[in-house]
């Protein structure tokens, strides 16, 4: 193989071409931005933060001067966000962007052609491109097309436990790292801490306790083998697990979650915890906000956590009620983080999609680009500096007001997120780990998005079956064997074979396309 | 002859003027019903379409009765139709009886201040939000963490075993009926009290002369004279019998699937289907089915009322 040596002329020619290219690309995005006008309406969950009017006024003055348009944020309460957002798409409402996700209605919206194709669009916006990792775009591309701008503050997300570290140390546990110790901690709390429930179950989070993604909270088998990812046709319904050797054999072999031994063991464990009072008995009815407020009053010894750096946010409120309280994180691996590379799909839990029916792609992307600049990002995400927050170190933040913007719905960027001054050391370690793509293994089916269209009726029927017959298992309120019989029989009647067959067909086609 | 012709012309002029006035009077109602009731019915066409979000109501392809077939063959149809009818029948019967009894009792209170205070107190639950009711019920039945609650504490006092109410489906038709009585008893009693005020005092005076006690008067005079009012309330209630009380039931039961065998009604099923699968065609089909059967029920109720209470029938 010959060696290529770049002489001075080659170097100058290449530099010139690169310069012209960069100038053209910058010029193009500027020209595009300057031709924009009106208001970019973003449909967001949650409610307008306190002091939002002042923040929006400041943001719009800058946006208008820079891009010629303004931001119009339309907040919809979380309780009805899914339906309301879907209705907006259906009714042909005029808006640019909305929060969507696989756990909402994104697959349906894409399959119905309601989302604008954003393939290649990010390349036109330098600030946005600089903040979105190529791996993230690749992982969120479905069949070669990008349907939303992923909003993440870490590379991967793993559910785990936040525990009352003060209680752990009080009872001689120190740092909890494995499942057996965690279980002993639960039973010790039950025995010795009157009025404290060891763990809090919450409604609408059913499957996370038993079905691996790649681990499940009470699935000890998944702690030891964090290499399983579940897939389903739509945002909710029946979760399938694929064969571990699918990549080698080309055969996906999907099984419903109840055919996995680890899941069944987890369901039995949850039932045991329910009977023993380790978990709250009202898990099927109680919502996240209620549980969090109870956790903050010291009624629970552990709570659900995610590797998004937000678990420590509860500490300030908790310490107001329990001054000696401290928080620790228990990761579901039973070994050091350096010794494990769990599978991930790297698919974002939150996506900003552009409305194909009346949304302006350039304006939407211009807004995403503008929000990818640190100063603008800080303004919308954290409010007005000095009033709502003050910097703590280079990337830290001390909150001064109650300002809380749903950043995940519009402007989460890993590189721009500030760390709360309340973040514990253990969470910092986990957050750092979760931000690095190299700490994870891409799942064989990482960018597989099943199309529900051919089995829409069976999927709908199965969804009801899961709510009615599987949820009681996830919350431990029913006898496992009897309830499993009911679940299987109802699933058969709802068309399990149809769903399983279609999932296998589509997953095998995905494998064949990648081979 | 000439005089008769003039008279006819004059009557025709008056009749036209009256019709115009009536039309003007009815205009807001006609506009309201056209815009908010009959206009949206065009959307029912979705029930016969394979709805596509981008193509919209009129662009989506037709799929005949597939959406209805899905619902009727889903295995859930029988349960939710039965629940809807049974729960609404319980709600209607219990709230009417409670309203009647409360009205009779309130009517016996002589002190004006005390009577108005009691009336306001029992009317108040009508304004309480279903969300607040659901929280109150959780505190009463399960307590914080789902282990305890006032009812279970009372069972403890009598050495009776505690019950996990939120996992006991059989109890819920009765619990929900109690909630409805608490919510609607006062409201219904006001309607009956209004009807009682129209009963002539002379009837009671005659009964008093004949030596009737207050209880006898309530049973033999007030109650029979309230039957026409009750008949109208029954017909109105039966017209809504195929519509579950979505707000209350959903706020209380939410997605607690273990209670569905006795609490899942058409409205909660439709809402859940829309929320979780976003299938407008199926949900519209269920809604249309609900309306048609509701119409059949109300027609039947009116016909029965006309057969037995012709003088007070609403049609």
């Amino acid at each position: 193989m010959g060696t290529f040596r770049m002489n001075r002329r080659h170097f100058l020619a290449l530099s010139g071409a690169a310069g012209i290219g960069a100038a053209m690309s910058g010029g193009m995005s500027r020209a595009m931005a300057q031709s924009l006008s009106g208001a970019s309406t973003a449909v967001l969950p949650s409610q307008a933060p306190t002091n939002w009017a002042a923040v929006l006024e400041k943001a719009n003055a800058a946006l208008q001067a820079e891009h010629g348009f303004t931001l119009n944020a339309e907040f919809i309460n979380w309780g009805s966000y899914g339906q309301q957002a879907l209705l907006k798409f259906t009714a042909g409402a005029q808006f640019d962007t909305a929060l969507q996700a696989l756990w909402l209605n994104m697959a349906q919206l894409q399959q119905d052609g309601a989302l604008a194709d954003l393939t290649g669009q990010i390349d036109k916006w330098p600030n946005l491109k600089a903040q979105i990792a190529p791996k993230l775009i690749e992982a969120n591309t479905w069949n070669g097309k990008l349907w939303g701008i992923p909003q993440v503050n870490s590379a991967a997300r793993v559910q785990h436990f936040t525990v009352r570290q003060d209680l752990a140390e009080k009872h001689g546990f120190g740092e909890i790292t494995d499942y057996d110790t965690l279980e002993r901690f639960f039973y010790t709390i039950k025995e010795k801490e009157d009025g404290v429930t060891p763990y809090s179950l919450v409604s609408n989070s059913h499957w996370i306790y038993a079905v691996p993604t790649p681990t499940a909270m009470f699935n000890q088998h998944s702690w030891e083998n964090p290499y399983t990812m579940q897939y389903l046709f739509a945002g909710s319904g029946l979760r399938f697990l694929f064969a571990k050797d699918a990549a080698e054999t080309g055969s996906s072999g999907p099984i419903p979650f109840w055919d996995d031994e680890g899941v069944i063991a987890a369901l039995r464990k949850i039932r045991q915890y329910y009977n023993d009072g380790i978990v709250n008995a009202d898990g099927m009815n109680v919502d996240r906000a209620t549980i969090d407020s109870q956790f903050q009053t010291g009624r629970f010894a552990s709570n659900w956590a995610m590797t998004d750096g937000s678990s420590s946010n509860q500490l300030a409120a908790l310490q107001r009620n329990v001054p000696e309280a401290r928080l620790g994180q228990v990761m579901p691996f039973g070994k050091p983080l350096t010794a494990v590379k769990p599978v991930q799909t790297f698919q974002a839990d939150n996506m900003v999609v552009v409305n194909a029916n009346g949304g302006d792609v350039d304006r939407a992307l211009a807004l995403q680009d503008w929000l990818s600049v640190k100063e603008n990002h800080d303004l919308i995400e954290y409010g007005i500096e000095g009033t709502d927050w003050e910097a703590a170190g280079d990337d830290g933040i001390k909150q001064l007001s109650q300002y809380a913007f749903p950043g995940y719905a519009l402007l989460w960027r890993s590189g721009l997120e500030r760390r709360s001054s309340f973040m514990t050391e253990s969470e910092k370690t986990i957050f750092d780990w979760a931000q690095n793509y190299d700490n994870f293994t891409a799942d064989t089916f990482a960018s597989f998005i099943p199309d529900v269209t051919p089995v829409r009726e069976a999927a709908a029927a199965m969804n009801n079956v899961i709510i009615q017959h599987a949820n009681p298992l996830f919350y431990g309120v029913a006898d496992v064997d009897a309830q499993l019989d009911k679940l299987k029989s109802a699933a058969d009647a709802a068309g399990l074979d149809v769903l399983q067959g279609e999932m296998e067909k589509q997953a095998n086609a995905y494998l064949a396309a990648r081979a | 002859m000439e005089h008769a012709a003039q008279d006819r012309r004059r009557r025709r002029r008056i009749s036209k003027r009256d019709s115009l006035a009536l039309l003007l009077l009815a205009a807001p109602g006609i506009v309201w019903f056209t815009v908010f009731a009959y206009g949206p019915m065009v959307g029912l066409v979705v029930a016969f379409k394979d709805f596509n979000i981008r193509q919209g109501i009129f662009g989506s392809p037709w799929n005949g009765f597939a959406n209805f077939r899905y619902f009727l063959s889903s295995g859930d149809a029988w349960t939710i139709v039965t629940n809807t009818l049974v729960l609404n029948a319980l709600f209607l019967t219990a709230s009417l009886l409670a309203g009647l009894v409360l009205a009779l009792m309130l009517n016996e209170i002589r002190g004006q201040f005390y009577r108005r205070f009691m009336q306001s107190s029992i009317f108040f639950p009508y304004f309480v939000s279903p969300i607040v009711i659901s929280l109150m019920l959780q505190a009463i039945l399960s307590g914080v963490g789902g282990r305890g609650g006032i009812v279970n504490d009372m069972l403890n006092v009598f050495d009776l075993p505690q019950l996990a109410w939120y996992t006991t489906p059989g109890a819920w038709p009765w619990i929900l009926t109690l909630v409805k009585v608490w919510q609607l008893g006062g409201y219904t009693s006001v309607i009956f009290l209004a009807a009682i005020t129209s009963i002539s005092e002379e009837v009671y005076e005659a009964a008093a002369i004949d030596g009737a006690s207050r209880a006898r008067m309530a049973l033999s005079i007030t109650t029979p004279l309230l039957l026409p009012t009750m008949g109208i309330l029954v017909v109105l209630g039966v017209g809504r019998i195929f519509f579950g009380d979505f707000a209350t039931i959903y706020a209380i039961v939410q997605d607690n699937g273990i209670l569905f065998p006795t609490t899942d009604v058409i409205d909660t099923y439709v809402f859940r289907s829309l929320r979780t699968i976003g299938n407008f065609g199926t949900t519209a089909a269920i809604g249309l089915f609900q309306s048609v059967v509701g119409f059949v029920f109300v027609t039947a109720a009116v016909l029965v009322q006309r057969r037995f209470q012709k003088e007070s029938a609403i049609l």
Side-chain angles (χ1 to χ4, degrees):
Chain A
M1 189 198 273
T3 51
F4 173 79
R5 289 186 61 194
M6 188 180 277
N7 61 29
R8 188 164 164 267
R9 188 178 294 170
H10 276 126
F11 176 75
L12 286 173
L14 275 174
S15 303
I20 291 165
M24 281 181 71
S25 127
M28 270 168 65
S29 62
R30 268 198 300 279
M32 237 180 319
Q34 277 157 9
S35 68
L36 301 170
S37 62
S40 182
T41 299
V43 178
L44 302 166
S46 184
Q47 52 205 10
T50 44
N51 203 27
W52 173 241
V55 170
L56 188 62
E57 189 184 345
K58 203 169 172 187
N60 278 342
L63 256 175
Q64 183 73 53
E66 203 172 325
H67 289 297
F69 70 92
T70 55
L71 165 65
N72 173 31
E74 203 172 288
F75 293 93
I76 298 174
N77 222 319
W78 254 128
S80 58
Y81 180 79
Q83 308 92 280
Q84 295 284 327
L86 190 62
L87 280 171
K88 279 186 174 291
F89 279 101
T90 306
Q94 295 294 302
F95 62 96
D96 279 356
T97 61
L99 166 75
Q100 272 303 327
L102 284 171
W103 50 272
L104 283 168
N105 303 101
M106 186 158 169
Q108 185 189 358
L109 287 165
Q110 186 270 324
Q111 284 151 13
D112 278 3
L115 304 183
D117 183 359
L118 304 179
T119 314
Q121 291 288 335
I122 291 176
D123 290 340
K124 299 176 189 169
W125 301 95
N127 297 316
L128 178 60
K129 192 178 177 187
Q131 294 301 330
I132 307 258
K135 271 193 179 176
L136 185 61
I137 298 172
E138 187 190 329
N140 287 281
T141 300
W142 303 355
N143 295 325
K145 301 265 188 182
L146 185 71
W147 300 103
I149 309 294
Q151 309 292 314
V152 298
N153 70 355
S154 55
R157 283 153 299 283
V158 177
Q159 14 238 352
H160 60 283
F161 296 83
T162 286
V163 297
R164 286 275 304 280
Q165 193 58 35
D166 54 310
L167 291 178
E169 284 172 16
K170 179 181 167 187
H171 296 292
F173 282 94
E175 191 184 356
I176 299 170
T177 54
D178 62 279
Y179 194 91
D180 291 333
T181 311
L182 180 70
E183 189 171 70
R184 280 206 310 281
F185 167 72
F186 286 158
Y187 277 89
T188 305
I189 293 294
K190 180 67 194 163
E191 187 190 347
K192 297 183 175 168
E193 291 289 336
D194 194 31
V196 179
T197 304
Y199 181 79
S200 56
L201 298 180
V202 182
S203 64
N204 297 327
S205 58
H206 43 278
W207 52 274
I208 65 170
Y209 307 119
V211 187
T213 59
T215 61
M217 312 284 281
F218 300 119
N219 184 329
Q220 193 165 3
H221 180 265
S222 73
W223 279 49
E224 288 146 20
N225 303 280
Y227 305 107
T228 305
M229 190 57 64
Q230 49 82 21
Y231 291 83
L232 68 172
F233 274 106
S236 56
L238 174 56
R239 288 159 201 280
F240 287 99
L241 308 179
F242 290 122
K244 288 282 188 302
D245 58 357
E248 292 83 54
T249 63
S251 176
S252 57
I255 54 166
F257 67 83
W258 58 78
D259 281 347
D260 180 84
E261 283 180 23
V263 174
I264 296 297
L267 295 176
R268 294 193 193 288
K269 188 65 86 179
I270 297 168
R271 178 66 175 160
Q272 172 196 329
Y273 290 167
Y274 175 88
N275 285 332
D276 293 349
I278 299 299
V279 295
N280 49 316
D282 59 353
M284 287 183 84
N285 295 78
V286 70
D287 62 19
R288 166 63 53 199
T290 307
I291 282 294
D292 282 349
S293 67
Q294 290 179 356
F295 182 77
Q296 288 161 10
T297 59
R299 285 185 190 274
F300 289 102
S302 62
N303 199 3
W304 170 86
M306 184 61 98
T307 48
D308 60 5
S310 64
S311 304
S312 306
N313 292 348
Q314 301 224 51
L315 190 56
L318 176 62
Q319 284 183 338
R320 275 197 290 276
N321 298 301
V322 188
E324 73 278 11
R326 287 188 299 117
L327 294 179
Q329 309 293 318
V330 178
M331 291 301 284
F333 301 128
K335 55 186 91 166
L337 293 176
T338 48
V340 64
K341 283 185 81 167
V343 297
Q344 282 286 307
T345 64
F346 299 118
Q347 285 174 13
D349 283 341
N350 306 294
M351 306 275 271
V352 168
V353 297
V354 179
N355 177 16
N357 187 19
D360 185 320
V361 173
D362 288 334
R363 194 168 56 191
L365 270 289
L367 178 64
Q368 285 291 304
D369 189 70
W370 185 81
L371 291 167
S372 303
V373 175
K374 191 168 181 64
E375 182 190 352
N376 307 331
H377 174 273
D378 281 348
L379 174 64
I380 300 290
E381 173 101 72
Y382 306 116
I384 296 170
E385 189 173 6
T387 305
D388 298 307
W389 63 279
E390 63 185 25
D394 284 344
D395 64 350
I397 184 171
K398 186 178 177 194
Q399 203 77 36
L400 301 177
S401 73
Q402 296 297 312
Y403 184 91
F405 185 84
Y408 51 84
L410 193 66
L411 51 90
W412 258 12
R413 308 278 185 270
S414 299
L416 299 181
E417 295 301 311
R418 290 177 177 273
R419 292 173 187 219
S420 163
S421 55
F422 291 110
M423 194 182 282
T424 59
E425 282 307 314
S426 59
E427 184 159 30
K428 268 182 197 161
T429 308
I430 291 164
F431 194 37
D432 284 343
W433 171 79
Q435 286 189 314
N436 188 348
Y437 285 87
D438 294 335
N439 288 330
F440 300 91
T441 310
D443 186 53
T444 304
F445 295 90
S447 55
F448 170 55
I449 308 293
D451 180 1
V452 73
T453 315
V455 287
R456 193 168 266 175
E457 289 183 4
M462 187 62 76
N463 197 65
N464 276 316
V465 168
I466 297 299
I467 292 174
Q468 191 170 344
H469 300 289
N471 276 6
L473 289 165
F474 293 133
Y475 293 98
V477 300
D479 173 74
V480 175
D481 293 313
Q483 191 65 26
L484 270 173
D485 287 345
K486 284 185 197 167
L487 170 61
K488 288 175 186 175
S489 145
D492 284 340
L496 172 63
D497 53 343
V498 174
L499 288 177
Q500 199 165 353
E502 183 64 28
M503 182 63 91
E504 182 162 28
K505 188 174 120 193
Q506 292 189 25
N508 287 354
Y510 172 84
L511 288 174
R514 283 167 56 92
Chain B
M1 191 75 174
E2 179 63 20
H3 183 73
Q6 276 180 346
D7 197 40
R8 270 200 303 277
R9 279 199 296 275
R10 190 172 59 81
R11 272 208 298 267
R12 208 173 295 135
R13 272 203 307 275
I14 292 171
S15 169
K16 269 187 182 170
R17 206 171 55 212
D18 284 353
S19 299
L20 197 66
L22 282 174
L23 197 64
L24 272 174
L25 203 64
I30 291 170
V31 170
W32 192 90
F33 274 106
T34 307
V35 174
F36 295 108
Y38 293 104
M41 279 190 188
V42 175
L44 286 176
V45 75
V46 174
F48 304 95
K49 292 205 159 197
D50 183 8
F51 186 73
N52 176 292
I53 292 170
R54 184 76 194 278
Q55 292 168 318
I57 294 175
F58 300 107
S60 299
W62 296 97
N63 70 348
F65 288 94
N67 293 326
F68 293 88
R69 272 198 299 276
Y70 154 71
F71 168 62
L72 294 171
S73 63
S74 67
D76 298 318
W78 173 246
T79 307
I80 65 166
V81 167
T82 311
N83 284 345
T84 308
L85 289 173
V86 168
L87 285 177
N88 276 319
L90 279 174
F91 295 169
L92 184 61
T93 312
S95 61
L96 280 179
L97 287 178
L100 179 67
V101 171
L102 282 170
L104 292 175
M105 288 163 73
L106 286 169
N107 191 45
E108 294 305 313
I109 298 174
R110 297 293 108 196
Q112 278 296 309
F113 174 78
Y114 184 58
R115 180 177 167 169
R116 281 173 196 271
F117 173 76
M118 289 304 293
Q119 205 170 318
S120 304
S121 302
I122 58 171
F123 197 89
F124 175 72
Y126 182 73
F127 298 107
V128 177
S129 144
I131 302 292
V132 175
I133 293 174
S134 105
L135 292 173
M136 286 164 57
L137 213 54
Q138 280 195 34
I140 292 170
L141 295 178
S142 74
V144 175
R147 294 172 204 277
I150 299 162
V151 173
N152 279 331
D153 291 347
M154 283 171 64
L155 290 174
N156 268 353
V157 170
F158 297 105
D159 277 339
L160 292 168
Q162 291 202 353
L163 260 178
W165 297 98
Y166 282 87
T167 58
T168 310
W172 280 88
W174 309 109
I175 294 171
L176 291 172
T177 303
L178 281 175
V179 169
K180 291 314 288 182
V181 166
W182 179 75
Q183 257 187 325
L184 292 180
Y187 175 83
T188 317
S189 75
V190 171
I191 298 172
F192 284 122
L193 273 175
I196 288 173
T197 55
S198 68
I199 300 172
S200 169
E201 274 300 315
E202 287 168 8
V203 184
Y204 291 105
E205 282 164 14
I209 291 166
D210 288 346
S213 64
R214 296 297 303 178
R216 172 55 60 194
M217 285 187 219
L219 282 173
S220 302
I221 298 173
T222 315
T223 306
L225 289 175
L226 285 178
L227 284 180
T229 308
M230 190 177 252
I232 292 168
L233 290 176
V234 167
V235 171
L236 292 174
V238 167
R240 303 277 311 164
I241 206 162
F242 226 63
F243 290 81
D245 182 359
F246 172 76
T248 308
I249 295 178
Y250 189 76
I252 292 169
V253 177
Q254 295 177 39
D255 280 342
N256 186 343
I258 213 156
L259 300 183
F260 286 175
T262 59
T263 61
D264 205 15
V265 293
I266 296 178
D267 297 71
T268 52
Y269 185 85
V270 169
F271 178 75
R272 202 170 59 250
S273 298
L274 185 60
R275 183 168 58 84
T276 52
I277 59 173
N279 190 338
F280 288 91
T282 308
T283 48
I286 302 168
L288 181 58
F289 170 73
Q290 186 180 24
S291 301
V292 169
V293 181
F295 176 73
V296 170
F297 266 89
V298 78
T299 307
V302 169
L303 290 176
V304 170
Q305 194 195 25
R306 281 179 65 171
R307 172 80 176 76
F308 294 103
Q309 270 187 353
K310 196 164 187 181
E311 65 289 351
S312 59
I314 56 175
L315 283 175

